[in-house]
Amino acid sequence: YQTINIDPDKTSQSFYFNWSLDSLLLEDSDQIEYYLEVRDNDGINGRKSSQTGLYYFRIPDKKERDEDLKKSSQSAENQIDKSLEMAKELNDKIEEVENRLKGKKQMNWQDQKLLDEMIRDKDKLDEEIYKLQELNQANNMKLEKFNELDAELIKKVDQLQKLMDDLLDEETKKLFEELKKLLEEKKDLSEVKSLLERIDFKQDNFEKELERTLELFKRMKFEVELEKAIEEMDELQKKQEGLSKETDDRKNDLEQIKDDQESLNEDFEDTRESLEELIDINQDLAFPKPMQITKEQEEEISKHQKDAMEQLENNKRKNASKSQQNASDQMRELSESMKQMQTSGNMEMMMENYNSLR
């Protein structure tokens, strides 16, 4: 219970109460129902109460969180695409204005109109970049909150956010403000041309930075999904190896082992879908990584798991255990292949940073 201070001069007022849910130790898919109730302090006629309807709060499970993160990531990527397209259109307009003004000593109304449009387009582009920064920041918060990323990957996520935060520099902003002022004051055309050259140079660099940001974002998405796939594969491998030992021990219930193996097969198929998405992300990179080996290994694992189920159905525990162990071994190899890709990606990033510095 909490005493609420009431302002008697108001017929309606707001009340805020922060409730920390940490103490409830909620787990995936847990749901709580809650309501608010207020009572007056009428000691003569008795305390009267009023109660709200029921509200619900549910903890999403891992699959739901992953889907939400994918949508969030896709929104940020779409925003980069949109900003990049607008930056290209703005650069085209700057080039068009420069060509129109070549050899001229004064502007006509069409030139003035194009310059005004160019300034408005720059303002719109800046608004889209602000949206991009907010979207990516929200995406990164979810990423770091719901995924156990290693320290190196967290560092890269933070670096990408800094890169996005630095997209809008004060110097370019001042150049456009100066151009707007020159147009309002109808200054000499030579000053406008000189300023346009500086703006053109800055905007060309801005477009390149956006292209680089988009590629880095895609690579970051690939690395995050790759790390998640490795974690999932390592977990499946441990379960499969443990199940192989349980199957070999005749003291364990065969029906339960069948259920566990069937569930494990389904989990692996879900992971295969994630790997398919990873392949799609990889193909969208400027320099895709070779991933054909993973598909071959996936087929082998799936085959061993199906063999294990058939052997279990025929009560051939020894053969089933062997197939399960083969599946486990292939999972370990697949995980190692993906870890090598991860290491290769880190080396490529280091070389790219080195070349950029040069």
Side-chain angles (χ1 to χ4, degrees):
Y1 293 100
Q2 181 171 334
T3 300
I4 304 174
N5 294 321
I6 302 295
D7 186 344
D9 296 329
K10 292 182 179 179
T11 57
S12 175
Q13 66 182 78
S14 299
F15 167 70
Y16 298 94
F17 176 72
N18 291 322
W19 180 24
S20 175
L21 302 178
D22 294 351
S23 60
L24 297 180
L25 303 177
L26 297 175
E27 297 182 354
D28 288 1
S29 301
D30 283 350
Q31 178 174 291
I32 61 173
E33 300 176 359
Y34 64 97
Y35 63 89
L36 297 177
E37 183 180 53
V38 292
R39 296 178 182 178
D40 63 22
N41 57 357
D42 190 345
I44 299 174
N45 300 310
R47 292 185 175 183
K48 296 174 287 297
S49 65
S50 180
Q51 183 176 300
T52 67
L54 280 175
Y55 296 96
Y56 301 92
F57 176 79
R58 178 178 173 275
I59 299 291
D61 58 29
K62 184 179 182 300
K63 189 173 184 179
E64 290 169 327
R65 292 197 300 269
D66 285 345
E67 284 300 317
D68 181 61
L69 188 57
K70 285 176 185 177
K71 289 179 183 177
S72 176
S73 178
Q74 191 59 52
S75 294
E77 185 176 340
N78 291 343
Q79 188 65 25
I80 302 176
D81 277 323
K82 182 180 179 181
S83 301
L84 181 56
E85 188 62 33
M86 291 177 69
K88 289 178 178 178
E89 291 174 0
L90 177 58
N91 282 351
D92 290 342
K93 191 162 288 185
I94 293 172
E95 187 176 345
E96 182 184 353
V97 172
E98 285 186 302
N99 289 333
R100 284 180 64 93
L101 296 180
K102 281 180 181 177
K104 286 188 176 183
K105 293 184 177 180
Q106 62 182 15
M107 291 185 294
N108 57 33
W109 70 271
Q110 288 179 317
D111 300 328
Q112 178 75 39
K113 182 183 177 185
L114 271 174
L115 284 164
D116 290 339
E117 287 178 3
M118 189 185 80
I119 293 170
R120 285 197 297 272
D121 288 349
K122 171 60 177 172
D123 290 338
K124 290 177 183 176
L125 176 57
D126 287 352
E127 289 176 7
E128 296 303 321
I129 296 299
Y130 286 131
K131 288 180 187 177
L132 169 60
Q133 292 167 347
E134 291 175 356
L135 277 172
N136 192 65
Q137 192 170 28
N139 183 61
N140 288 347
M141 286 176 64
K142 292 178 183 179
L143 193 62
E144 294 184 20
K145 186 176 180 64
F146 297 126
N147 291 277
E148 295 182 5
L149 306 179
D150 63 30
E152 187 63 30
L153 196 47
I154 290 176
K155 185 178 178 181
K156 290 178 183 178
V157 169
D158 293 339
Q159 286 174 341
L160 181 58
Q161 180 64 46
K162 186 178 186 305
L163 181 63
M164 290 191 182
D165 290 341
D166 292 341
L167 281 172
L168 297 178
D169 66 299
E170 284 299 314
E171 186 179 347
T172 305
K173 184 179 178 181
K174 287 177 181 177
L175 288 175
F176 274 90
E177 288 174 353
E178 190 176 340
L179 176 62
K180 189 175 181 180
K181 188 176 179 181
L182 286 178
L183 294 175
E184 289 172 352
E185 296 176 355
K186 301 189 182 301
K187 292 286 186 178
D188 187 76
L189 185 57
S190 61
E191 293 185 51
V192 175
K193 289 179 181 180
S194 176
L195 192 56
L196 275 173
E197 287 182 10
R198 294 165 63 193
I199 288 175
D200 191 6
F201 176 76
K202 293 291 288 184
Q203 283 303 119
D204 276 344
N205 286 338
F206 177 74
E207 183 182 330
K208 290 171 185 174
E209 281 300 303
L210 265 178
E211 288 175 343
R212 179 167 173 259
T213 299
L214 179 59
E215 181 61 22
L216 287 175
F217 184 88
K218 290 177 180 179
R219 189 176 300 185
M220 185 66 62
K221 185 164 72 169
F222 175 83
E223 290 190 24
V224 168
E225 292 302 318
L226 178 59
E227 182 166 299
K228 283 165 59 179
I230 291 171
E231 289 175 359
E232 289 176 10
M233 193 58 61
D234 287 343
E235 187 177 341
L236 288 173
Q237 186 273 322
K238 290 176 184 177
K239 289 181 179 178
Q240 188 65 85
E241 186 169 20
L243 199 55
S244 173
K245 293 176 182 177
E246 288 181 28
T247 303
D248 197 39
D249 187 348
R250 294 188 172 274
K251 296 177 183 178
N252 295 313
D253 180 47
L254 185 61
E255 291 303 316
Q256 182 61 53
I257 291 173
K258 288 180 186 178
D259 290 342
D260 291 343
Q261 184 61 54
E262 186 175 6
S263 176
L264 198 57
N265 291 4
E266 291 173 358
D267 289 341
F268 178 70
E269 291 305 314
D270 288 340
T271 301
R272 287 190 71 179
E273 288 183 16
S274 298
L275 289 173
E276 286 298 318
E277 292 176 7
L278 188 63
I279 290 172
D280 291 339
I281 297 171
N282 182 51
Q283 291 304 316
D284 199 30
L285 295 175
F287 300 99
K289 301 175 186 295
M291 289 189 66
Q292 185 59 37
I293 187 171
T294 66
K295 291 187 72 72
E296 296 171 3
Q297 290 169 321
E298 289 169 42
E299 291 295 335
E300 285 295 313
I301 294 168
S302 185
K303 179 178 177 298
H304 289 311
Q305 286 188 319
K306 288 175 182 176
D307 288 344
M309 279 303 299
E310 289 179 10
Q311 300 297 337
L312 288 170
E313 292 293 341
N314 294 322
N315 200 20
K316 296 181 178 179
R317 299 176 74 113
K318 197 79 175 176
N319 292 342
S321 177
K322 186 176 179 181
S323 294
Q324 289 168 329
Q325 187 58 51
N326 287 338
S328 172
D329 293 341
Q330 287 288 333
M331 286 176 180
R332 186 181 289 106
E333 287 183 20
L334 178 52
S335 175
E336 288 302 318
S337 297
M338 290 191 289
K339 286 171 184 174
Q340 288 176 11
M341 269 191 282
Q342 197 176 37
T343 304
S344 170
N346 290 338
M347 290 298 295
E348 286 175 13
M349 184 72 79
M350 287 171 63
M351 285 304 298
E352 192 170 282
N353 291 341
Y354 172 71
N355 290 330
S356 296
L357 183 61
R358 292 182 61 191

